[in-house]
Amino acid sequence: MPQQLTTPDHASNSDIVFHIRGLTKRYQMGEVQVDALRGIDLDLYRGEFTVLLGASGSGKSTLLNILGGLDTPTLGNVGYGNHDLTHASEAELTEYRRHHVGFVFQFYNLIPSLTALENIAVVTEIAKSPMKPREALELVGLGNRVDHFPAQLSGGEQQRVAIARAIAKQPQVLLCDEPTGALDSKTGIVVLEALQRVNRELGTTTAVITHNAGIAQMADRVIHLTDGLISQAYTNESPISPDQLSW
Amino acid sequence: MKAMDKKLWREFQGMRMQALAIAMVIGSGVAIFIMSLSALDSLYETRERYYRNHHFSHIFASLKRAPLALVTHIEAIPGIDKIETRVVSYVTLDIGGFDEPVSAHLLSLPSHGAGLLNQLYLRQGRLAEPGRDNEIVVNEKFAQAHGLRSGDQLAATINGRRKTLTIVGLALSPEYIYQIAPGALFPDYKRYGVLWMSRKPLASAYNMDGGFNMVTVTLRKDSNQQDVIDHLDNILEPYGGIGAIAREDQLSHRFLAAELEQLKTMATVFPVIFFAVAAFLLNVVISRLINLQREQIAVLKAFGYSSIEVAIHYSKLVLMIVSVGVLGGIGAGVWMGKGLSNLYTEFFSFPFMIFVLKPQVIIAATVMSVGVAIFGTLYSVHRAVKLPPAQGMRPEQPVLYHRTLVERLRLQRWFSQPTRMIMRHIERRPIKSLLTVIGISLASAIIMMSGFQKGAIDYMIDVQYGISQKEDMIAIYTEPTSARALYSLRSIPGVEYVEGFRIVPVKLRFEHRSYRTTINGIPPQSKLMRLLDTELNVVEVPPQGLVLTEYLAERLKVKPGEMIEVEILEGKRSVIQVPLIGTAKQYLGSNAYMRLSALNRALKEGNATSGARLKVDKQSQQQIYAALKEIPRIAGVVEQRSSIRMFYDTMAKNILFFTGITTLLGAVIAFGVVYNSMRIALSERSRELASLRVLGFRNSEITYILLGEFALLTLMAIPLGWLLGYGLSAYMAFQIDTDLYRVPLILNQDVYAFSALVVIMSAIISSLMIWRNLIQLDMVAVLKTRE
Ligand SMILES: Nc1ncnc2c1ncn2[C@@H]1O[C@H](COP(=O)(O)OP(=O)(O)OP(=O)(O)O)[C@@H](O)[C@H]1O
Ligand SMILES: [Mg+2]
C-alpha cells in the first residue's frame, strides 16, 4: 500500500503542491540501461518540509531534478498545482523554474566569474519579489564574503552561497540536494535554521536530500528511497528545531 | 551593471588573448575583403572621373587626309557632342644613350589651350608654344623610363627628316593610360613613346595644312554609338577612312579594361574565398567556445533564464569579440586599400586617385562576420539548451572507453602511457580532432593560395618567351612589305636567322559571337614562333585554315572543322570564311594563327610581311640596332621578353603588396586558429590535466599529453592543407581566365614549404604561450570549483 503510506492523514487534497504518479526515469548508456526511478507515487503538500533519505545511487537527485523541472521523466506524471510538469513546454518549464523554484545543487554550480554577491544577484534580478542579495548572504553567515569569487571560497562557503542563492528569491518551492553535506555541525545548523525560517515564514514547500538521518527529526515528513522506489515514508508529528538536532 | 553583464565583461577580459586571436581571424578576412573591393572601386571611379574631367572621346577615327571643312559635315551627325580633329604620325626617335630604335606617336596639340577632348594633364613644364616646330610635350612614363626632363632634347625622324626637339613639358593623357605600341601585348615605356607638338609645324611636315588625319568625338547621352560610327565611316570613306572605333576598342582603354577586369576577378574571388575561410574558422572557434559553457548554460537555465535570454547573453559576448575583429579589419582594410589604390594609380599613371569606400562593402563584411558568429553561437547554445539542465550540470560523463587501433593491434608496448593517452583522446573525439585538423589546414591553404600567383607568372613568361617565342628581337615595318625586304635584314652582320611574319587586325565571328584580335601569319616549321599544347609539344600550323588560342575557341564556342567569318580590319576590309583547324594553348593574349602563305593568299596580297623575328649574335647587338635604324621602312623594334620583364617588375610591386598582405593575414589566421584550438583544448582538459598532476604526473608529462596531441594534429593538418591549398589555387586559376592571360596552376615547392612553416611556427608560438598557463595549472582550485 505505498499509496497510503505516502499520504499523511491531516492534509486535504487542495493543499497538494506536487502530485506524482508512476514516475519512472530510465537512463540509457550505450548498451546499459539504468533505472534511476521505477514508478514513484508521491504527493507533497503546501508548506511541508520533507526530507529525502536513501543510499547513494538510489535516485534522490533524479527525483528532485524532475520536481525542479530540470529533467523530464521517462514515464509517469508529475503535477505542480494545476500544472502538468510532464507535458510542459520548454517555455513553461522556464517560467516555472524562474518564478517558483529555488534550487540548491549537489555540486553547488556557482558561476566562477561572479562574486558571491553577484552569484545571488544573477537570480534575484529575474525574480518577482526577492530579498536583497546581501541579506540572503547574511542569513547563511557569509556577510563578510560578499566580494569573494567561488575559487576564493571554501567548499562549505560555496555551498552556503548556493543556499543563499536558492532562498534569496523567496520561492514557493525549495529543493535542496545535500545542502549541508560539506558543513560542520555549527554551520550546518545555521543553514538549516535559515531553511526552516523560509519554510515557516513564507510557507515554502521544502524538500531536502540528505545522508544525515538526524536531520529527519526536523522534517514534517520523511521519505526513504531504495533502488528507485519509495521503501518507507512517515509523518513526523513533532518536528524539532535545528539547534536541537543530534548531528 | 547587471550581474549577467558583469559576468560577460569579466569573462571577456579573462579570455582577452583568445578573443584577440578570434578577432584577428575574422579581422583578417574583413581587411582583405575591404582592401580588395575598395581598391577596385577606387580604380574604376578614378578612371571614370579622369575620363570625364579630361573629356576622353567616345569614338576615334583615322583617315588618310581630309580638309578641315569636313568638320561641318561631321557636326551634322546626330548624337555627336564635341569634335576634335588632329594630325597624328608615327615617328622614330633617337635618344642619347639608348641604342635601340624607339618608335613614337606624334600628335598635334589643339590650337588653343587644352582643347576640347582628351585633354592632357601636365605633370611638369608647359605645353608647346603654338607654331614652335622644335618643342614637344612627352608622355611621363616614357620620359621616366629614359630619365628625360623638361629642357632635355631628343631627335626624331619626322617624315624622313631628322629633327632635334626640346622637351618643354611632361604630361599624362586619358588616351594613353595604358601606353602600348600598336601590335604589342605589353607596354614598353622605353621603346614606345607618345609626343605632342604644335599643330601647325606638324601639319606642314606631313602636308596636312588645313587638314587632319584623325578625328575624335564625344557623344550625347541619348545617342546611338553604332549609328554615329556608321555615319562617320560614310563621311570619311572617300578620305581614306579605315573605320572608326568605339572607346571599347581603343587600345589603351581596351587593355586597361581587361587589366581592371582581371583585377576584379582577383579582387572578388580571392577575398571571398579568404573571407569564407575566416568565417568558417570563426564559426568553428565560436562553437567550441560556447560548448565549453555547456554547464553554465545549464545552470542559467536551472535558475529560470529562458533559452532566448541565454542565447542573447552569449551572443553579446561573441559580438564583443567579433566587433573588435570587424572594426580592426575595417580600419586595416581601408588603410591597405588606400595603399593598393595608390600603387595602381601610379602603375596606370592616373593623375590622381579617388578613394572610394562603398558603404555596401562595409555592411556586407560586417553583416557576414556578425551573421556567421551569431549563427555559430545560436547553434551551439541551441545544442546546449536542448539537454535538460540536470544533464548539462552533471560533471562530464567519463567517456566510453575504446581500445585504440594501436592497442587492438597490440602495439601499445611500444608507446608510453602518455602517448597512449594522446592516441585514445584523438580516437575518442574524432569529430573534434577532425575539425581542428580542417581548421588548421584551411588556414594553411589560404596561405598557399596567396603565394601561388608569383610562381605562376614566372612560368607563364618562361613558356611564352622561352619555349614558344624564341626570337631576340622583332623588327616592325611601317606598313606591309614584300618578303624580299627580309634579305636586307639577313645581310646585317650579326643577324643569324630571320623569319618574316604578318599581323592583320581582324574581327572573328562565329554564330552571334565575335572577337577582335589579330591573325598572325607564321612560316611553316617556324623556328622562332612555335605554338604549343598543354604538354608543351609543338603544334604545327596547317597549310590551310586557322589555329586559335584554346581560350578564344572556347569563347567563340567554335570547334575544329567549323567555318569562322573573318573581317579584315585594314586595307580593303574584306570579309572571308576560314575553317578552324586546331587550337593551341597560350597563357598570354588571345590570338589567331595561320600559315603565312595561306594568310597572304586570303588577303590577296602576294608575299607581304608586317615585320620579322630576328635571332642575333648578342655581341653585335649595338651594330644591329644602328643598322636597323638606317632601314627606312622599319618603324621600331620590339623586345617582348624585356618589355614583359619590365612590365612585371612594375607589376611585381603591386603583386608583392597584395600577396605580401594576404600571406601575412593568412599567417595571422593560421596563428589565430592554432592558438584558439589549443586554448580551447586546454580549457576542456584543465581538470583532467590538473587531476593527473595531483596523481603525481610531472609538468613535462602533462605538457606532452596536451601539446603532443596538438603536434600530431598539426602534422596531420599540413598535408591536408597542401591538398586544400592546391584546390583553392586551382579554383583561382580557373577564375582568372581573361583574354589578356590565363594563369597556369603552378605551385612551387617554396609555396608548400612556406605554408607548412607558418603552421608549424604558429603551433610553436602558441605552445609557448599555452605552456605558461599549463605549468601554472592551479591544482587545488581546479579540483575545488567545477567549471
Ligand atoms: N545522466 C545520467 N546518465 C546515466 N545514469 C545516470 C544519470 N544520472 C543518474 N544516473 C544513474 O541513476 C542512478 C540514480 O542517480 P542519482 O543521482 O539520482 O542518485 P542519488 O540518490 O542522488 O545518489 P547520491 O546520493 O550519490 O547523490 C544512479 O545509479 C546513477 O548512476
Ligand atoms: Mg545525488
Coordinates of all heavy atoms in Angstrom, one line a residue, chain B residues 117-177:
Chain B
L117 N 38.9 67.8 -76.3 CA 38.8 66.4 -76.0 C 40.2 65.8 -75.6 O 41.2 66.4 -76.0 CB 38.2 65.6 -77.1 CG 36.8 66.0 -77.6 CD1 36.4 65.2 -78.8 CD2 35.8 65.9 -76.5
N118 N 40.1 64.7 -74.9 CA 41.4 64.0 -74.5 C 42.4 65.0 -74.0 O 43.6 65.0 -74.4 CB 42.0 63.3 -75.7 CG 40.9 62.4 -76.4 OD1 40.2 61.7 -75.7 ND2 40.7 62.6 -77.7
Q119 N 42.0 65.8 -73.0 CA 42.9 66.9 -72.5 C 44.0 66.3 -71.8 O 43.9 65.3 -71.0 CB 42.1 67.8 -71.6 CG 41.1 68.6 -72.3 CD 40.1 69.3 -71.4 OE1 40.2 69.1 -70.2 NE2 39.3 70.2 -71.9
L120 N 45.2 66.9 -71.9 CA 46.4 66.4 -71.2 C 46.4 66.9 -69.8 O 45.8 67.9 -69.4 CB 47.6 67.0 -71.9 CG 47.9 66.6 -73.3 CD1 49.3 67.1 -73.8 CD2 47.8 65.1 -73.5
Y121 N 47.0 66.1 -69.0 CA 47.3 66.5 -67.6 C 48.7 66.8 -67.5 O 49.6 65.9 -67.6 CB 46.8 65.4 -66.6 CG 47.0 65.7 -65.2 CD1 46.0 66.2 -64.4 CD2 48.3 65.5 -64.6 CE1 46.1 66.5 -63.1 CE2 48.4 65.8 -63.2 CZ 47.4 66.3 -62.5 OH 47.6 66.6 -61.2
L122 N 49.1 68.0 -67.3 CA 50.5 68.4 -67.3 C 51.1 68.1 -65.9 O 50.6 68.5 -64.9 CB 50.6 69.9 -67.5 CG 51.1 70.4 -68.9 CD1 51.3 71.9 -69.0 CD2 52.3 69.6 -69.4
R123 N 52.2 67.3 -66.0 CA 52.9 67.0 -64.7 C 54.0 68.0 -64.5 O 54.4 68.2 -63.3 CB 53.5 65.6 -64.9 CG 52.5 64.5 -64.6 CD 52.4 64.3 -63.1 NE 52.1 62.8 -62.9 CZ 51.3 62.4 -62.0 NH1 50.7 63.2 -61.2 NH2 51.2 61.1 -61.9
Q124 N 54.5 68.5 -65.5 CA 55.8 69.3 -65.4 C 55.8 70.2 -66.6 O 55.4 69.8 -67.7 CB 57.0 68.3 -65.4 CG 58.2 68.8 -64.7 CD 59.4 67.9 -64.9 OE1 60.0 68.0 -65.9 NE2 59.6 67.0 -64.0
G125 N 56.4 71.4 -66.4 CA 56.6 72.3 -67.6 C 55.3 72.9 -68.1 O 54.4 73.1 -67.4
R126 N 55.3 73.0 -69.4 CA 54.2 73.7 -70.1 C 53.9 73.0 -71.4 O 54.6 72.0 -71.8 CB 54.5 75.1 -70.4 CG 55.8 75.3 -71.2 CD 56.1 76.7 -71.6 NE 57.4 76.8 -72.2 CZ 57.6 76.6 -73.5 NH1 56.7 76.2 -74.3 NH2 58.9 76.7 -74.0
L127 N 52.8 73.4 -72.1 CA 52.5 72.9 -73.4 C 53.4 73.6 -74.4 O 54.0 74.7 -74.1 CB 51.1 73.2 -73.8 CG 50.0 72.5 -72.9 CD1 48.6 72.9 -73.3 CD2 50.2 71.0 -73.1
A128 N 53.6 73.0 -75.6 CA 54.4 73.7 -76.6 C 53.7 74.9 -77.1 O 52.5 75.0 -77.3 CB 54.6 72.7 -77.8
E129 N 54.6 76.0 -77.4 CA 54.0 77.2 -77.9 C 53.5 77.0 -79.3 O 54.1 76.3 -80.1 CB 55.2 78.3 -78.0 CG 55.7 78.8 -76.7 CD 54.8 79.8 -76.0 OE1 53.9 80.4 -76.7 OE2 54.9 79.9 -74.8
P130 N 52.3 77.6 -79.6 CA 51.8 77.4 -80.9 C 52.8 77.9 -82.0 O 53.4 78.9 -81.8 CB 50.5 78.3 -80.9 CG 50.2 78.5 -79.5 CD 51.4 78.4 -78.7
G131 N 53.0 77.1 -83.0 CA 53.9 77.5 -84.1 C 55.3 77.0 -83.9 O 56.0 76.9 -84.9
R132 N 55.7 76.7 -82.7 CA 57.1 76.3 -82.5 C 57.3 74.9 -83.0 O 56.6 74.0 -82.6 CB 57.5 76.3 -81.0 CG 57.5 77.7 -80.4 CD 58.9 78.3 -80.6 NE 59.0 79.6 -80.0 CZ 59.3 79.8 -78.7 NH1 59.5 78.8 -77.9 NH2 59.3 81.0 -78.3
D133 N 58.2 74.7 -83.9 CA 58.4 73.4 -84.5 C 59.4 72.5 -83.8 O 59.7 71.4 -84.2 CB 58.8 73.5 -86.0 CG 60.2 74.1 -86.2 OD1 60.7 74.6 -85.1 OD2 60.7 74.1 -87.3
N134 N 60.0 73.1 -82.7 CA 61.0 72.3 -82.0 C 60.7 72.0 -80.5 O 61.5 71.6 -79.8 CB 62.4 73.0 -82.1 CG 62.3 74.4 -81.5 OD1 61.2 74.8 -81.2 ND2 63.5 75.0 -81.3
E135 N 59.4 72.2 -80.2 CA 59.0 72.0 -78.8 C 58.1 70.8 -78.7 O 57.1 70.7 -79.5 CB 58.4 73.2 -78.2 CG 59.3 74.4 -78.0 CD 58.6 75.6 -77.3 OE1 57.4 75.5 -77.1 OE2 59.4 76.5 -76.9
I136 N 58.3 69.9 -77.8 CA 57.4 68.8 -77.6 C 57.0 68.6 -76.1 O 57.8 69.0 -75.2 CB 57.9 67.5 -78.2 CG1 59.4 67.3 -77.7 CG2 57.8 67.4 -79.7 CD1 59.8 65.9 -77.9
V137 N 55.9 68.0 -76.0 CA 55.4 67.5 -74.6 C 55.6 66.0 -74.7 O 55.2 65.4 -75.7 CB 54.0 68.0 -74.3 CG1 53.5 67.4 -73.0 CG2 53.9 69.5 -74.3
V138 N 56.1 65.4 -73.7 CA 56.3 64.0 -73.7 C 55.5 63.3 -72.6 O 55.3 63.8 -71.5 CB 57.8 63.7 -73.5 CG1 58.1 62.2 -73.4 CG2 58.6 64.4 -74.6
N139 N 55.0 62.1 -73.0 CA 54.3 61.2 -72.0 C 55.2 60.9 -70.8 O 56.4 60.6 -71.0 CB 54.0 60.0 -72.8 CG 53.1 59.1 -71.9 OD1 53.5 58.6 -70.9 ND2 51.9 58.9 -72.4
E140 N 54.7 61.1 -69.6 CA 55.5 61.0 -68.4 C 56.2 59.6 -68.3 O 57.4 59.6 -68.0 CB 54.7 61.2 -67.2 CG 55.5 61.4 -66.0 CD 54.7 61.4 -64.7 OE1 53.7 60.7 -64.6 OE2 55.1 62.1 -63.7
K141 N 55.5 58.5 -68.5 CA 56.1 57.2 -68.3 C 57.4 57.0 -69.2 O 58.4 56.5 -68.8 CB 55.1 56.1 -68.6 CG 54.2 55.8 -67.4 CD 54.8 54.6 -66.6 CE 54.4 54.7 -65.2 NZ 53.0 54.2 -64.9
F142 N 57.2 57.5 -70.5 CA 58.3 57.4 -71.4 C 59.5 58.2 -70.9 O 60.6 57.8 -71.0 CB 57.8 57.9 -72.8 CG 58.9 57.9 -73.9 CD1 59.3 56.7 -74.4 CD2 59.4 59.1 -74.3 CE1 60.2 56.7 -75.4 CE2 60.3 59.1 -75.3 CZ 60.8 57.8 -75.9
A143 N 59.2 59.4 -70.5 CA 60.3 60.3 -70.0 C 61.0 59.7 -68.8 O 62.2 59.7 -68.7 CB 59.7 61.7 -69.6
Q144 N 60.2 59.1 -67.9 CA 60.8 58.5 -66.7 C 61.7 57.3 -67.1 O 62.8 57.2 -66.6 CB 59.7 58.0 -65.8 CG 59.1 59.0 -64.9 CD 57.9 58.6 -64.2 OE1 57.3 57.5 -64.5 NE2 57.4 59.4 -63.2
A145 N 61.2 56.5 -68.1 CA 62.0 55.4 -68.5 C 63.4 55.7 -69.0 O 64.3 55.0 -68.9 CB 61.2 54.5 -69.5
H146 N 63.4 56.9 -69.6 CA 64.7 57.4 -70.2 C 65.3 58.4 -69.3 O 66.4 59.0 -69.7 CB 64.5 57.9 -71.6 CG 64.2 56.8 -72.6 ND1 65.2 56.0 -73.1 CD2 63.0 56.4 -73.2 CE1 64.6 55.1 -73.9 NE2 63.3 55.4 -74.0
G147 N 64.7 58.8 -68.2 CA 65.3 59.8 -67.4 C 65.3 61.2 -68.0 O 66.2 62.0 -67.8
L148 N 64.3 61.5 -68.8 CA 64.2 62.7 -69.5 C 63.4 63.7 -68.7 O 62.4 63.4 -68.0 CB 63.5 62.6 -70.9 CG 64.3 61.7 -71.9 CD1 63.4 61.4 -73.1 CD2 65.5 62.4 -72.3
R149 N 63.8 65.0 -68.8 CA 63.0 66.1 -68.1 C 62.9 67.3 -69.0 O 63.5 67.3 -70.1 CB 63.8 66.5 -66.8 CG 63.5 65.5 -65.6 CD 64.3 66.0 -64.4 NE 65.7 65.9 -64.7 CZ 66.6 66.7 -64.1 NH1 66.2 67.5 -63.1 NH2 67.9 66.6 -64.4
S150 N 62.0 68.2 -68.6 CA 61.9 69.4 -69.4 C 63.2 70.0 -69.6 O 64.1 70.1 -68.7 CB 61.0 70.4 -68.6 OG 59.8 69.9 -68.3
G151 N 63.4 70.5 -70.8 CA 64.7 71.1 -71.2 C 65.6 70.1 -71.9 O 66.5 70.5 -72.7
D152 N 65.4 68.8 -71.7 CA 66.2 67.8 -72.4 C 65.8 67.7 -73.9 O 64.7 68.1 -74.3 CB 66.0 66.4 -71.8 CG 66.6 66.3 -70.4 OD1 67.4 67.2 -70.1 OD2 66.3 65.4 -69.7
Q153 N 66.7 67.1 -74.7 CA 66.5 67.1 -76.1 C 66.5 65.6 -76.6 O 67.1 64.7 -76.0 CB 67.5 67.9 -76.9 CG 67.5 69.3 -76.5 CD 68.3 70.2 -77.4 OE1 69.4 69.7 -77.8 NE2 67.9 71.3 -77.8
L154 N 65.8 65.4 -77.7 CA 65.8 64.2 -78.4 C 65.7 64.4 -79.9 O 65.2 65.5 -80.3 CB 64.8 63.2 -77.9 CG 63.3 63.6 -77.8 CD1 62.7 63.5 -79.1 CD2 62.7 62.7 -76.7
A155 N 66.1 63.4 -80.7 CA 66.0 63.6 -82.1 C 64.9 62.7 -82.7 O 64.7 61.6 -82.2 CB 67.3 63.2 -82.8
A156 N 64.1 63.2 -83.7 CA 63.1 62.5 -84.3 C 63.2 62.5 -85.8 O 63.6 63.5 -86.3 CB 61.7 63.0 -83.8
T157 N 62.8 61.4 -86.4 CA 62.8 61.4 -87.9 C 61.3 61.7 -88.3 O 60.5 60.7 -88.1 CB 63.3 60.1 -88.4 OG1 64.5 59.8 -87.8 CG2 63.4 60.2 -89.9
I158 N 61.0 62.9 -88.6 CA 59.6 63.3 -89.0 C 59.5 63.3 -90.5 O 60.1 64.2 -91.1 CB 59.3 64.6 -88.3 CG1 59.4 64.5 -86.8 CG2 57.8 65.0 -88.7 CD1 59.2 65.8 -86.1
N159 N 58.7 62.4 -91.0 CA 58.5 62.3 -92.4 C 59.9 62.3 -93.2 O 60.1 63.1 -94.1 CB 57.6 63.5 -93.0 CG 56.9 63.1 -94.2 OD1 56.9 61.9 -94.6 ND2 56.3 64.0 -94.9
G160 N 60.8 61.5 -92.7 CA 62.1 61.3 -93.4 C 63.1 62.4 -93.0 O 64.3 62.2 -93.3
R161 N 62.7 63.4 -92.3 CA 63.7 64.4 -91.9 C 64.0 64.4 -90.5 O 63.1 64.4 -89.6 CB 63.2 65.8 -92.3 CG 63.5 66.2 -93.8 CD 63.7 67.7 -93.9 NE 62.6 68.4 -93.5 CZ 61.6 68.8 -94.3 NH1 61.6 68.4 -95.6 NH2 60.6 69.5 -93.9
R162 N 65.3 64.4 -90.2 CA 65.7 64.3 -88.8 C 65.6 65.7 -88.1 O 66.0 66.7 -88.7 CB 67.1 63.8 -88.7 CG 67.6 63.3 -87.4 CD 69.0 62.8 -87.5 NE 69.7 62.9 -86.2 CZ 69.7 61.9 -85.3 NH1 69.2 60.8 -85.6 NH2 70.4 62.1 -84.2
K163 N 65.1 65.7 -86.9 CA 64.9 67.0 -86.3 C 65.2 66.9 -84.8 O 64.9 65.9 -84.2 CB 63.4 67.4 -86.5 CG 63.1 68.8 -86.1 CD 62.0 69.4 -87.0 CE 61.7 70.9 -86.6 NZ 62.9 71.7 -86.8
T164 N 65.8 67.9 -84.2 CA 66.1 67.9 -82.8 C 64.9 68.6 -82.1 O 64.6 69.7 -82.5 CB 67.4 68.6 -82.5 OG1 68.4 67.9 -83.2 CG2 67.7 68.6 -81.0
L165 N 64.4 68.0 -81.1 CA 63.2 68.5 -80.4 C 63.6 68.7 -78.9 O 64.3 68.0 -78.3 CB 62.1 67.5 -80.5 CG 61.6 67.2 -81.9 CD1 60.7 66.0 -81.9 CD2 61.0 68.4 -82.6
T166 N 63.0 69.8 -78.3 CA 63.3 70.1 -76.9 C 62.0 69.8 -76.1 O 60.9 70.2 -76.5 CB 63.6 71.6 -76.8 OG1 64.7 71.8 -77.6 CG2 64.0 71.9 -75.3
I167 N 62.2 69.1 -75.1 CA 61.0 68.7 -74.2 C 60.7 70.0 -73.4 O 61.5 70.5 -72.7 CB 61.4 67.6 -73.3 CG1 61.7 66.3 -74.1 CG2 60.2 67.3 -72.3 CD1 62.2 65.2 -73.3
V168 N 59.4 70.4 -73.4 CA 59.0 71.6 -72.6 C 58.1 71.1 -71.5 O 57.8 71.9 -70.6 CB 58.4 72.7 -73.5 CG1 59.4 73.3 -74.4 CG2 57.1 72.2 -74.2
G169 N 57.6 69.9 -71.6 CA 56.6 69.5 -70.5 C 56.4 68.0 -70.5 O 56.7 67.3 -71.5
L170 N 56.0 67.5 -69.4 CA 55.7 66.1 -69.3 C 54.2 66.0 -69.0 O 53.7 66.8 -68.2 CB 56.5 65.4 -68.1 CG 58.0 65.5 -68.2 CD1 58.6 64.7 -67.1 CD2 58.5 65.1 -69.5
A171 N 53.5 65.1 -69.6 CA 52.1 65.0 -69.4 C 51.5 63.6 -69.3 O 52.2 62.6 -69.7 CB 51.4 65.8 -70.6
L172 N 50.3 63.5 -68.9 CA 49.5 62.3 -68.9 C 48.3 62.5 -69.8 O 47.9 63.6 -69.9 CB 49.0 61.9 -67.5 CG 50.0 61.9 -66.4 CD1 49.3 61.6 -65.1 CD2 51.0 60.7 -66.7
S173 N 47.9 61.4 -70.4 CA 46.7 61.6 -71.3 C 45.8 60.4 -71.0 O 46.2 59.3 -70.9 CB 47.2 61.6 -72.7 OG 46.1 61.2 -73.6
P174 N 44.5 60.7 -71.0 CA 43.5 59.6 -70.8 C 43.5 58.6 -72.0 O 43.0 57.5 -71.8 CB 42.1 60.4 -70.7 CG 42.4 61.7 -71.4 CD 43.8 62.0 -71.1
E175 N 44.1 59.0 -73.1 CA 44.2 58.1 -74.2 C 45.3 57.1 -74.1 O 45.4 56.2 -74.8 CB 44.5 59.0 -75.5 CG 43.3 59.5 -76.2 CD 43.8 60.2 -77.5 OE1 44.2 61.4 -77.3 OE2 43.7 59.6 -78.5
Y176 N 46.3 57.5 -73.2 CA 47.5 56.6 -73.1 C 47.7 56.2 -71.7 O 48.8 56.2 -71.2 CB 48.7 57.3 -73.7 CG 48.5 57.5 -75.2 CD1 48.0 58.7 -75.7 CD2 48.8 56.5 -76.1 CE1 47.9 58.9 -77.1 CE2 48.6 56.7 -77.4 CZ 48.2 57.9 -77.9 OH 48.0 58.0 -79.3
I177 N 46.7 55.9 -71.0 CA 46.8 55.4 -69.6 C 47.7 54.1 -69.7 O 48.6 53.9 -69.0 CB 45.5 55.0 -69.0 CG1 44.7 56.3 -68.8 CG2 45.6 54.3 -67.7 CD1 43.2 56.1 -68.4

